[in-house]
Amino acid sequence: MKNIAAIIPAFNPQQSLITYVHQLLATTITKIIIVNDGSDEKYAGIFEELKKIDSCEVLEHDCNIGKGRALKTAFTYIWSQRGLYQGVITVGAHGQHTLQDVKLVLTMTKVFSEGIVLGIRNFHSSDSTLLSYWGNRVTSLFFELLYHRKLMDTQTGLRFISIKELPWLLKVKGERYDYDTNMLVAALKRKCPIFEVEIGHIRIKKNTVIQYDEITNARSIIAKMLMNYLKPRNR
């Protein structure tokens, strides 16, 4: 089996990201690509420390462009070395995904080695607010209504993606959080397999703001979903 690279879009990460990267490299992950998406200058020291870690590559944007663009930057880098990798696993930079959850998705790639594997979060936890629970349920139901496929967590950031899917993923529109949903819509249209693996409870540290990732405004997600659905198709 070829190697798996982890991709971490990072905007103003905490010091704990350094420890997390070391933990990821102790798994079957052989390479980590971190995209510094225009973080503030005071976080430069964290990225300098990350650059010193073997098997960790830091790519940089001059300004904050968004999670979607950060993922595409990393996809481009990995595709240029595609002979080395079976696929990539995308992971959050703010501790949203436990090492156990990452290992579970990695284990499932032995069964689902093609397409996209989603790490589906459990919103029934003390860390999950009623708003985040219903926001997730509404976006999932709306996705099913429009695209006739039930996915329990359309915004999860923990995803394994087979290496052969990267070329078309680079063409999917969306520079920010909307890219997560657009990726799934494009996958369905291409009949790309999508698998779901239930992971642990949702993790939101108290008094912590996740700059961009899975916890987003349900109204904005639905509005973009509807705009994409109603957009005129090329004949």
Side-chain angles (χ1 to χ4, degrees), residues 87-141:
V88 300
I89 185 168
T90 63
V91 186
H94 294 270
Q96 305 95 307
H97 307 124
T98 67
L99 197 62
Q100 181 178 352
D101 290 340
V102 174
K103 287 180 177 179
L104 177 58
V105 173
L106 288 171
T107 298
M108 295 310 294
T109 64
K110 298 174 183 177
V111 180
F112 307 123
S113 59
E114 301 295 325
I116 299 172
V117 180
L118 304 177
I120 304 302
R121 296 162 296 168
N122 185 341
F123 283 81
H124 297 283
S125 72
S126 58
D127 285 336
S128 177
T129 65
L130 191 62
L131 182 61
S132 64
Y133 170 78
W134 282 110
N136 178 70
R137 292 299 303 128
V138 170
T139 54
S140 294
L141 288 170

Side-chain angles (χ1 to χ4, degrees), residues 140 143-151 154 188 192-196:
S140 294
F143 186 93
E144 182 180 4
L145 177 65
L146 292 181
Y147 300 107
H148 312 292
R149 171 68 188 270
K150 185 175 183 179
L151 294 175
T154 60
L188 291 177
C192 170
I194 301 175
F195 306 98
E196 298 176 281

Side-chain angles (χ1 to χ4, degrees), residues 24-38:
L24 289 175
L25 286 172
T27 68
T28 55
I29 291 170
T30 55
K31 182 81 171 181
I32 294 182
I33 311 301
I34 295 174
V35 182
N36 174 9
D37 188 28

Side-chain angles (χ1 to χ4, degrees), residues 4-8 17 20-26 29-34 50 53-58 77-78 85:
I4 294 177
I7 294 174
I8 305 178
L17 178 59
Y20 188 53
V21 165
H22 282 293
Q23 292 173 337
L24 289 175
L25 286 172
I29 291 170
T30 55
K31 182 81 171 181
I32 294 182
I33 311 301
I34 295 174
L50 290 167
I53 301 174
D54 289 339
S55 301
C56 180
E57 185 80 23
V58 177
Y77 178 88
I78 290 295
Y85 300 102

Side-chain angles (χ1 to χ4, degrees), residues 152-168:
M152 296 305 296
D153 189 356
T154 60
Q155 292 303 117
T156 178
L158 181 57
R159 306 180 178 200
F160 168 80
I161 303 168
S162 172
I163 192 71
K164 72 176 187 178
E165 313 300 345
L166 296 190
W168 65 263

